[in-house]
Amino acid sequence: MTKKVAVIAIGGNSLIKDKDHQSCADQYIAADETSKHIVNMIEAGWEVVVGHGNGPQVGFILQKAELGEKEGLAMASLDVCGAQSQGQIGYMLAQTMHNQLRKKGIDKPVACVLEQTIVDPNDPAFKNPTKPIGGFMSESEAKAKAASEGWTVVEDAGRGWRRVVASPIPKEIVELDAIQALIEAGIVTISIGGGGIPVIRKENGDLEGVAAVIDKDFGNSLLAREIKADLLLISTAVEKVAINFGTPDEKWIDKMTLAEAKAYMEEGKHFKSGSMAPKIQACIWFLEAGGKQALITNPENIGRALRGETGTLITA
Ligand code: ADP
Ligand code: MG
């Protein structure tokens, strides 16, 4: 591929700023703001594939399904909830990207690809599910669901019982060729929502959805590796990455090498698990597979970070 291609993983703050801004209208405003910064990148010559998180949205969808079930509606399975979240978030991003491109007079189509990510049914995560999803239940409700639906349920710090699911490592992107064709055609592509809808490949070759969640930074790192992207850009709530984060020795990092990133990861204390650690791991996997550079910053600083003025750049 001759064009400069960036895979951009956008975080939760690009859709929901805080608890008081969760409505569709608020999510549109947040998406529009991030789209503006991404369009500046496109104007500067980048082809982009935008992936996004879906944690709160899939949570809302599931909660609505649970409420609906009490009224006699059929419960939605978790993979289908994931697909719904890709649809609603992808719609919002496709529209805000379109509007922002139009404002700049850039004639570029935008498309959203519903995407399935293959995971390994033997991934150890399935033996030890840890990600809580859905609402709280009483002990008896939880145990009944465990018996009838095969759910794994746990008591959550005295607050009640919850279902937990696995977060397996993404292995393969089903729609990879379609995404690649869109980028080559110069189409702004939105995909890898919530890390992808988790599916397994059955012995007979068929795909089948599974109840799991995929880390969106891992899913986007996989895409960046597969398409040999020039850049993996992780847009999140912080301008830079820190070492000794949240301690008196906290130090904000402008640049680190792959070797330094791996050394900090091994020390274990710098990047919080579940937030920054998966981002650094996503960058490490990308660079180990031949990627040249990964950048972490917040939406408003994307332009400055690309010019080397801020953000945390990780190089091979
Ligand atoms: P996203 O929705 O973008 O994935 P996360 O909340 O999962 O956002 O991750 C971003 C958060 O990671 C930051 O807002 C910050 O509070 C936290 N964080 C944890 N460790 C670090 C670190 N070492 N440097 C900077 N931020 C960190
Ligand atoms: Mg996150």
Side-chain angles (χ1 to χ4, degrees), residues 11-12 216 236-238 240-242 245 270-272 274-276 279:
K216 71 114 180 15
T236 185
V238 283
K240 292 183 189 186
V241 178
F245 181 70
H270 300 290
F271 317 123
K272 288 223 172 94
S275 60
M276 190 51 73
K279 298 185 198 312

Side-chain angles (χ1 to χ4, degrees), residues 34-88:
T34 294
S35 291
K36 185 177 78 192
H37 301 300
I38 295 175
V39 165
N40 286 338
M41 239 181 120
I42 294 169
E43 195 180 30
W46 288 90
E47 298 290 337
V48 302
V49 193
V50 181
H52 58 83
N54 72 344
Q57 292 81 5
V58 83
F60 300 154
I61 291 167
L62 198 61
Q63 204 179 342
K64 286 175 190 169
E66 286 171 352
L67 290 169
E69 195 182 24
K70 297 201 169 91
E71 296 289 321
L73 297 173
M75 184 63 190
S77 60
L78 194 57
D79 55 327
V80 171
C81 293
Q84 288 182 33
S85 78
Q86 284 190 353
Q88 71 179 51

Side-chain angles (χ1 to χ4, degrees), residues 60-129:
F60 300 154
I61 291 167
L62 198 61
Q63 204 179 342
K64 286 175 190 169
E66 286 171 352
L67 290 169
E69 195 182 24
K70 297 201 169 91
E71 296 289 321
L73 297 173
M75 184 63 190
S77 60
L78 194 57
D79 55 327
V80 171
C81 293
Q84 288 182 33
S85 78
Q86 284 190 353
Q88 71 179 51
I89 298 170
Y91 157 63
M92 236 176 241
L93 288 170
Q95 191 175 75
T96 54
M97 289 295 297
H98 172 96
N99 290 345
Q100 289 292 343
L101 285 162
R102 213 182 139 266
K103 265 188 200 141
K104 288 245 175 202
I106 302 172
D107 184 17
K108 231 170 156 34
V110 183
C112 176
V113 179
L114 202 75
E115 187 270 335
Q116 307 169 77
T117 298
I118 299 181
V119 298
D120 180 354
N122 296 315
D123 191 297
F126 285 109
K127 293 208 174 61
N128 180 28

